[in-house]
């Protein structure tokens, strides 16, 4: 009779530790959007030159130039020569969307994660062992989709290296936010008709299923029960791993990206356990992602259902 009681006590103890860590993690999440909004709008580049912030600022600026280029009918050179004050005005409007800033921040963190894993563990951020195997699949549909993922991931890595991101790669709701921002600026400038025409052209060319994130989600979903293999970051690569973890744990993908940050380790452990990984497999992912961190004592007694429940009651920020 005493042994089950001990197990329950140990389980309660690890839950208390993880719940307390989640509270701290949520507090960190709650500060991200207002801080990002300030940093994107700040002119003090010497103080705010940290890599991720610089990349977020660069991507928001690139989105603004793409929108203004569509409004004005400009080519790439014309977009580069847009008046800085006009770009800054649109950036300020874009930065008013916590969801958009959160997504751009997640993109920058994902790029940083891929770069770090490549340097430390030689994990290719574009062509992982899993993707290579799927490209060689005898199933033509799977192989073709894997090739599209490879091309999309390669474009993403190159774009983020240049601190840019195509408008057409945004999730649909965030593209809508960008178009609302463009309409707001156009109203200030008295060019509402041109903004409506630009919006129609952008929407006509948009296909969410063909975005990098959409393609990876289709690839992982199509693997069925085999998708558990995608929960190994060294085998699947960071992009597929993050999508698989998000889908299997019932999280938004941006929240899954944030979970790999060192301030969100409880969220990462719970997400991996909720996704169905055994405790030993969770430890293996921590060894790859955070080799200096150990899971809390008693974690092996935490069930996947309980991990999912703890994750579900965690608060957070709109946009994550």
């Amino acid at each position: 009779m005493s042994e089950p009681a001990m197990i329950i006590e140990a389980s309660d103890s690890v839950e208390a530790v993880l719940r307390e860590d989640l509270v701290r993690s949520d507090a960190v999440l709650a500060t991200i959007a207002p801080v990002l909004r300030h940093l994107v709008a700040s002119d003090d580049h010497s103080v705010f030159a940290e890599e991720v912030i610089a990349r977020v600022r660069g991507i928001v600026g690139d989105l603004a130039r793409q929108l203004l280029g569509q409004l004005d009918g400009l080519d790439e050179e014309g977009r580069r020569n847009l008046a800085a004050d006009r770009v800054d005005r649109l950036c300020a409007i874009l930065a008013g969307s916590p969801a958009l800033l959160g997504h751009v921040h997640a993109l920058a963190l994902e790029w940083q994660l891929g770069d770090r894993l490549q340097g430390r563990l030689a994990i290719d951020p574009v062509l992982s062992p899993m993707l290579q195997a799927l490209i060689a699949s005898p199933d033509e549909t799977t192989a073709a989709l894997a090739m599209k993922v490879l091309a999309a991931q390669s474009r993403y890595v190159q774009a983020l290296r240049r601190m840019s991101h195509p408008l057409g790669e945004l999730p649909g709701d965030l593209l809508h936010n960008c178009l609302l921002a463009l309409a707001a600026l156009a109203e200030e400038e008295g060019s509402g008709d041109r903004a409506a025409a630009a919006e129609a052209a952008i929407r006509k060319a948009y296909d969410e299923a063909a975005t990098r994130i959409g393609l990876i989600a289709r690839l992982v979903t199509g693997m069925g029960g085999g998708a558990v293999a995608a929960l190994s970051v060294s085998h699947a690569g960071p992009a597929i791993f993050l999508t698989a973890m998000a889908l299997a744990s019932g999280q938004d993908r941006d929240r899954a990206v944030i979970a790999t940050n060192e301030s969100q380790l409880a969220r990462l452990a719970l997400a991996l356990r909720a996704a169905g990984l055994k405790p030993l497999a969770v430890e293996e992912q921590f060894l790859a992602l955070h080799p200096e961190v150990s899971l809390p004592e008693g974690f092996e007694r935490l069930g996947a259902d309980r991990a999912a429940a703890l994750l579900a009651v965690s608060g957070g920020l709109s946009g994550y």
Side-chain angles (χ1 to χ4, degrees):
M1 293 292 290
S2 61
E3 186 175 347
M6 289 173 62
I7 292 175
I8 291 171
E9 184 180 347
S11 178
D12 287 345
S13 175
V14 72
E15 283 189 26
V17 169
L18 290 168
R19 193 179 293 110
E20 188 175 318
D21 282 351
L22 273 181
V23 170
R24 286 194 291 266
S25 298
D26 289 341
V28 172
L29 285 181
T31 67
I32 291 177
V35 170
L36 280 176
R37 191 179 306 119
H38 168 71
L39 295 179
V40 168
S42 174
D43 292 327
D44 192 345
H45 295 264
S46 62
V47 175
F48 300 115
E50 194 272 328
E51 179 194 358
V52 170
I53 298 303
R55 209 170 297 281
V56 169
R57 185 188 288 116
I59 293 170
V60 172
D62 180 64
L63 292 173
R65 288 185 180 85
Q66 290 178 65
L67 289 163
L68 290 170
Q70 190 73 44
L71 179 69
D72 297 345
L74 301 175
D75 58 15
E76 186 174 347
E77 183 178 357
R79 292 197 297 272
R80 285 198 299 267
N81 294 323
L82 281 162
D85 63 331
R86 195 162 170 241
V87 174
D88 289 345
R89 290 208 318 275
L90 185 50
C91 282
I93 300 173
L94 291 171
S97 168
L100 179 63
L101 276 186
H103 180 66
V104 172
H105 184 227
L107 290 172
L109 287 177
E110 181 182 349
W111 188 91
Q112 185 186 57
L113 175 65
D115 190 56
R116 187 171 72 245
L117 290 175
Q118 184 176 34
R120 189 166 61 82
L121 300 176
I123 298 174
D124 193 319
V126 177
L127 183 59
S128 66
M130 170 174 279
L131 190 55
Q132 195 166 7
L134 291 171
I135 289 171
S137 170
D139 184 274
E140 293 183 4
T141 301
T142 298
L145 181 55
M147 280 297 298
K148 289 180 180 178
V149 169
L150 174 65
Q153 182 64 15
S154 178
R155 289 193 298 268
Y156 158 79
V157 169
Q158 293 301 321
L160 266 285
R161 184 170 286 122
R162 299 190 302 268
M163 300 189 185
S164 64
H165 189 69
L167 267 174
E169 285 289 326
L170 291 172
D173 57 334
L174 300 185
L175 179 64
H176 179 69
N177 287 358
C178 288
L179 294 174
L180 290 177
L182 180 63
L185 181 70
E187 185 176 354
E188 291 178 12
E189 297 180 340
S191 54
D193 290 344
R194 286 194 294 122
E199 177 179 347
I202 291 170
R203 289 191 184 279
K204 183 177 180 180
Y206 181 69
D207 180 3
E208 188 163 15
T211 63
R212 178 185 72 105
I213 293 174
L215 290 169
I216 296 174
R218 285 166 53 197
L219 187 69
V220 172
T221 303
M223 294 170 65
V228 67
L231 292 171
S232 165
V233 70
S234 59
H235 180 58
I240 296 176
F241 167 79
L242 290 167
T243 294
M245 181 171 66
L247 290 172
S249 64
Q251 292 189 101
D252 176 83
R253 190 179 188 277
D254 288 346
R255 180 69 68 89
V257 175
I258 293 293
T260 64
N261 185 267
E262 61 185 10
S263 70
Q264 302 292 313
L265 299 182
R267 195 179 310 280
L268 176 62
L270 289 170
L272 289 169
R273 190 72 182 98
L277 284 188
K278 301 295 185 185
L280 182 58
V282 174
E283 287 184 13
E284 290 173 354
Q285 298 318 302
F286 264 75
L287 185 61
L289 295 165
H290 299 286
E292 72 287 354
V293 175
S294 298
L295 293 171
E297 186 177 351
F299 182 80
E300 69 279 1
R301 296 189 179 95
L302 184 69
D305 290 347
R306 190 59 192 147
L310 287 171
L311 206 57
V313 298
S314 169
L317 175 69
S318 175
Y320 285 101

